[in-house]
Protein backbone atom coordinates (compact mmCIF):
# COMPACT_ATOMS: atom_id res chain seq x y z
CA UNK A 1 0.00 0.00 0.00
CA UNK A 2 1.43 3.34 -1.03
CA UNK A 3 -0.54 6.27 0.33
CA UNK A 4 1.47 9.01 -1.38
CA UNK A 5 1.18 12.76 -1.42
CA UNK A 6 -2.62 12.91 -1.27
CA UNK A 7 -2.60 11.48 2.24
CA UNK A 8 0.31 13.65 3.39
CA UNK A 9 -1.67 16.68 4.50
CA UNK A 10 -0.08 19.13 6.95
CA UNK A 11 -2.37 17.91 9.74
CA UNK A 12 -1.55 14.25 9.09
CA UNK A 13 2.19 14.95 8.96
CA UNK A 14 2.08 16.96 12.18
CA UNK A 15 0.26 14.15 13.98
CA UNK A 16 2.64 11.60 12.52
CA UNK A 17 5.66 13.56 13.80
CA UNK A 18 4.05 13.54 17.25
CA UNK A 19 3.44 9.80 17.07
CA UNK A 20 7.06 9.18 16.07
CA UNK A 21 8.00 10.64 19.47
CA UNK A 22 5.42 8.68 21.47
CA UNK A 23 6.53 6.90 24.63
CA UNK A 24 5.05 3.60 23.42
CA UNK A 25 7.44 1.66 21.20
CA UNK A 26 4.59 0.10 19.24
CA UNK A 27 3.17 3.53 18.41
CA UNK A 28 6.60 4.77 17.28
CA UNK A 29 7.08 1.70 15.12
CA UNK A 30 3.61 2.00 13.56
CA UNK A 31 4.17 5.69 12.86
CA UNK A 32 7.45 4.90 11.11
CA UNK A 33 5.63 2.22 9.13
CA UNK A 34 3.09 4.85 8.04
CA UNK A 35 5.94 7.06 6.84
CA UNK A 36 7.13 4.19 4.65
CA UNK A 37 3.78 4.24 2.85
CA UNK A 38 3.64 8.01 2.49
CA UNK A 39 6.98 8.08 0.71
CA UNK A 40 8.76 11.30 -0.19
CA UNK A 41 5.68 13.36 0.68
CA UNK A 42 6.48 12.70 4.34
CA UNK A 43 10.00 14.15 4.14
CA UNK A 44 9.30 17.21 6.28
CA UNK A 45 11.91 18.60 8.68
CA UNK A 46 9.91 17.37 11.71
CA UNK A 47 9.47 13.85 10.33
CA UNK A 48 13.13 13.63 9.31
CA UNK A 49 14.28 14.81 12.74
CA UNK A 50 12.10 12.25 14.50
CA UNK A 51 13.25 9.43 12.20
CA UNK A 52 16.88 10.36 12.90
CA UNK A 53 16.20 10.01 16.62
CA UNK A 54 14.46 6.69 16.10
CA UNK A 55 17.52 5.25 14.37
CA UNK A 56 19.06 5.17 17.85
CA UNK A 57 15.90 3.92 19.63
CA UNK A 58 16.31 1.25 22.29
CA UNK A 59 13.81 -1.01 20.50
CA UNK A 60 15.05 -3.01 17.51
CA UNK A 61 11.66 -2.97 15.73
CA UNK A 62 11.47 0.82 16.02
CA UNK A 63 15.01 1.20 14.66
CA UNK A 64 14.20 -1.15 11.79
CA UNK A 65 11.00 0.70 10.88
CA UNK A 66 12.79 4.04 11.07
CA UNK A 67 15.57 2.77 8.82
CA UNK A 68 13.08 1.48 6.26
CA UNK A 69 11.14 4.75 6.40
CA UNK A 70 14.31 6.81 5.96
CA UNK A 71 15.36 4.71 3.00
CA UNK A 72 11.94 5.12 1.39
CA UNK A 73 12.02 8.92 1.45
Amino acid sequence: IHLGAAAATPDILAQLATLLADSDKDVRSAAAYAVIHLGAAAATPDILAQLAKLLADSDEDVRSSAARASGNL
Side-chain angles (χ1 to χ4, degrees):
I1 298 172
H2 184 75
L3 300 173
T9 66
D11 288 338
I12 294 293
L13 294 175
Q15 286 298 318
L16 197 51
T18 299
L19 294 172
L20 287 167
D22 196 89
S23 62
D24 185 314
K25 66 179 179 68
D26 293 328
V27 172
R28 293 192 306 276
S29 185
Y33 187 77
V35 171
I36 292 168
H37 294 289
L38 287 172
T44 66
D46 289 340
I47 298 280
L48 295 173
Q50 290 302 328
L51 287 175
K53 291 177 186 176
L54 293 182
L55 292 173
D57 197 272
S58 62
D59 184 78
E60 181 178 351
D61 291 335
V62 172
R63 289 192 309 270
S64 176
S65 293
R68 288 184 58 211
S70 298
N72 200 46
L73 298 178

